Amino acid sequence: MASASHLPDSPAGYGIVTRALHWGMAGLFLWQFASALLRVFAEDTGVERLFWSTHYSVGFTLWLLVLVRGVWGLANLHRRPRPEGSPAMARAARAGHLALYGLMVAVPSLAILRAVGGTRGFSVYGVQLAAPREAAVAWLTAPANALHGLLGWALLALIVGHVAMALYHTRIRRDGTLERMTRGHRGEAALT
Ligand code: HEM
């Protein structure tokens, strides 16, 4: 069983809570982007209907999880591992992570506001959170109409870059960056 000291992060690696949030959300994002890609490339097929029927509920779950992750990240900010590489690389990593967080919050938030302000109501996992309206509220729906899809694809591009950089650290620099998120505190020990 995990000891309490493995729950929070440490400079040697990420704790169990951060790793569970990271990999759990990675799996849900994979599913969420599969639904968006199928909507573009395979509209009105059985597989698209299956994935798209989960887009609101999985998106809402990701929104809740990113809020938890943000609070947990702030609480652990000063004991997290420092980015590897030159000062410029470390700055780029921080900027990239900040942009990831910004989009992970903005993309579902905009869509939820649109659903709440729209005429169809808003249900997740079969539970109605907002009733349908007779007329849409423009200031709630317009931002997502303009930006939800666009920022969603920008988030996908950033995630692809994030994965590429993790592979660069592991395969080329071999500096243990990925191991801190897979093996946690044991990652550092494995390198020495
Ligand atoms: C982090 C979570 C989410 C991601 C990554 C995401 C991603 C995307 C992407 C990339 C598209 C564009 C698909 C296309 O071009 O046709 C899209 C469309 C859409 N999403 Fe999401 N979504 C998320 C959460 C949500 C939530 C929570 C809702 C509902 C409350 C929602 C409702 C919609 C709707 C109605 C569309 C089609 C209209 C549009 O493109 O704006 N999404 N989503």
Side-chain angles (χ1 to χ4, degrees):
M1 215 178 97
S3 73
S5 67
H6 286 151
L7 292 180
D9 302 333
S10 85
Y14 294 99
I16 287 166
V17 176
T18 298
R19 282 183 283 147
L21 284 166
H22 180 273
W23 295 110
M25 286 179 70
L28 289 178
F29 270 116
L30 207 64
W31 183 276
Q32 190 72 350
F33 281 113
S35 71
L37 286 167
L38 285 165
R39 189 166 190 270
V40 175
F41 294 111
E43 207 177 350
D44 280 338
T45 58
V47 67
E48 186 260 350
R49 274 192 287 273
L50 169 72
F51 272 81
W52 190 256
S53 69
T54 67
H55 191 84
Y56 283 36
S57 296
V58 172
F60 183 76
T61 308
L62 279 164
W63 178 71
L64 288 180
L65 288 174
V66 77
L67 298 183
V68 172
R69 188 169 172 180
V71 170
W72 180 254
L74 284 177
N76 282 269
L77 200 58
H78 296 295
R79 41 176 181 252
R80 289 197 150 177
R82 293 188 169 280
E84 294 288 342
S86 64
M89 270 183 80
R91 271 198 301 277
R94 282 200 194 93
H97 290 153
L98 211 63
L100 273 170
Y101 268 104
L103 288 176
M104 285 194 298
V105 172
V107 169
S109 299
L110 289 173
I112 290 167
L113 287 180
R114 174 172 63 188
V116 167
T119 53
R120 292 188 188 165
F122 178 42
S123 300
V124 290
Y125 300 109
V127 178
Q128 191 177 64
L129 300 184
R133 295 172 184 270
E134 291 207 347
V137 182
W139 68 268
L140 288 175
T141 56
N145 288 342
L147 291 172
H148 176 69
L150 199 69
L151 294 183
W153 295 125
L155 175 58
L156 178 60
L158 216 58
I159 291 174
V160 170
H162 175 72
V163 172
M165 285 313 292
L167 291 175
Y168 165 74
H169 278 282
T170 311
R171 297 284 162 87
I172 296 173
R173 287 183 54 91
R174 296 181 190 275
D175 58 16
T177 295
L178 184 61
E179 286 74 9
R180 291 165 179 174
M181 193 53 94
T182 52
R183 299 166 60 99
H185 310 290
R186 288 170 301 139
E188 193 92 329
L191 282 174
T192 53

